[in-house]
Amino acid sequence: MASSSDVNPSADHTPGTESGSTPDPVRRGRVRLRRAAVMAVPAVAVAAGLAIMTAEGALGVSFSISGMPFTVTAKSLDGTGFEQFGALDSMIENSPNAGDTGGQVLVVTSAIKSATLDSLCQSVDLGGTNLLIKAGSGSSKVQATDLTTDSTELSGDASFNNIEIGNDASTLTKAGVKGPKGVFSQQADTVHIDNLRQTNYATTAGVFKLPGLKLSFSDSGC
């Protein structure tokens, strides 16, 4: 709807414009520019908020999972800065691996700020054969920073230091990752797991060092 100043120029009370005179086109242009700038503020604020949340780890940088689970084992894992919470991973539309899942998998996300793994093994069942990756079985161990794993199964003998159970996932602070609001979670200063075994759908890391890396095909997995 047009303003009264647009309908009746004689009623224009813009500073510097006398009653009955022709409005200054430069000043009118400035007024319209200010109005446009005000309308743009909410969109800019939302974009800035998303950028800040991503930088703080409130929103993870996600990717579409293949929908093929893989097994990860290790003799032991030692981590500093541990968090764990529920999440939902999604496949691409019409993924051949969706099955009856609807293209989504409910997972437990484990985040570790800094991790060391002894004798890492990872295997993917390709149907009749397994892609096998091994590393860190010698004196040098696997090292990872900002490590996250999305798992449907996790087992081992675990111990934690200064653990907090029942946190809201959006308030986590130990590993620099924040989960969804209202989701149950836990966190600890450190974690140690012997005989680690995971069924994973996704893994990410800032840095992943794999000394003694060996890749092969095998009749059996990890």
Side-chain angles (χ1 to χ4, degrees):
M1 180 181 293
S3 65
S4 59
S5 60
D6 291 329
V7 175
N8 184 6
S10 64
D12 192 347
H13 299 292
T14 304
T17 303
E18 298 180 359
S19 178
S21 63
T22 302
D24 183 354
V26 174
R27 189 170 296 279
R28 287 290 297 277
R30 289 175 180 170
V31 171
R32 288 171 179 162
L33 181 60
R34 284 198 295 271
R35 288 173 181 169
V38 170
M39 293 174 65
V41 166
V44 173
V46 169
L50 289 174
I52 291 171
M53 286 191 291
T54 299
E56 292 179 346
L59 295 178
V61 179
S62 61
F63 55 85
S64 297
I65 62 172
S66 70
M68 295 178 64
F70 55 96
T71 300
V72 173
T73 65
K75 286 184 178 179
S76 65
L77 177 150
D78 286 284
T80 300
F82 171 81
E83 300 173 357
Q84 199 169 63
F85 55 88
L88 196 64
D89 283 351
S90 299
M91 306 173 205
I92 61 172
E93 187 175 357
N94 299 319
S95 170
N97 300 319
D100 59 359
T101 66
Q104 294 183 316
V105 180
L106 183 64
V107 296
V108 174
T109 296
S110 301
I112 303 176
K113 191 64 178 176
S114 178
T116 301
L117 297 99
D118 182 6
S119 302
L120 174 70
C121 179
Q122 176 179 301
S123 62
V124 184
D125 187 349
L126 301 178
T129 189
N130 291 269
L131 175 61
L132 198 64
I133 297 174
K134 293 185 176 182
S137 59
S139 58
S140 297
K141 306 306 178 185
V142 171
Q143 303 287 333
T145 61
D146 299 319
L147 175 69
T148 67
T149 57
D150 288 359
S151 312
T152 53
E153 294 183 16
L154 188 157
S155 63
D157 302 311
S159 61
F160 304 90
N161 283 334
N162 296 325
I163 190 169
E164 302 170 2
I165 301 174
N167 309 61
D168 186 292
S170 67
T171 67
L172 297 176
T173 59
K174 302 293 185 179
V177 176
K178 295 184 186 297
K181 293 180 179 179
V183 172
F184 182 92
S185 69
Q186 59 184 4
Q187 65 177 359
D189 287 346
T190 65
V191 57
H192 175 84
I193 304 177
D194 287 322
N195 304 313
L196 172 68
R197 187 174 189 87
Q198 294 177 303
T199 299
N200 294 344
Y201 277 85
T203 296
T204 65
V207 175
F208 211 3
K209 296 182 179 180
L210 301 169
L213 174 65
K214 294 181 181 179
L215 186 151
S216 63
F217 291 99
S218 172
D219 292 337
S220 59
C222 297

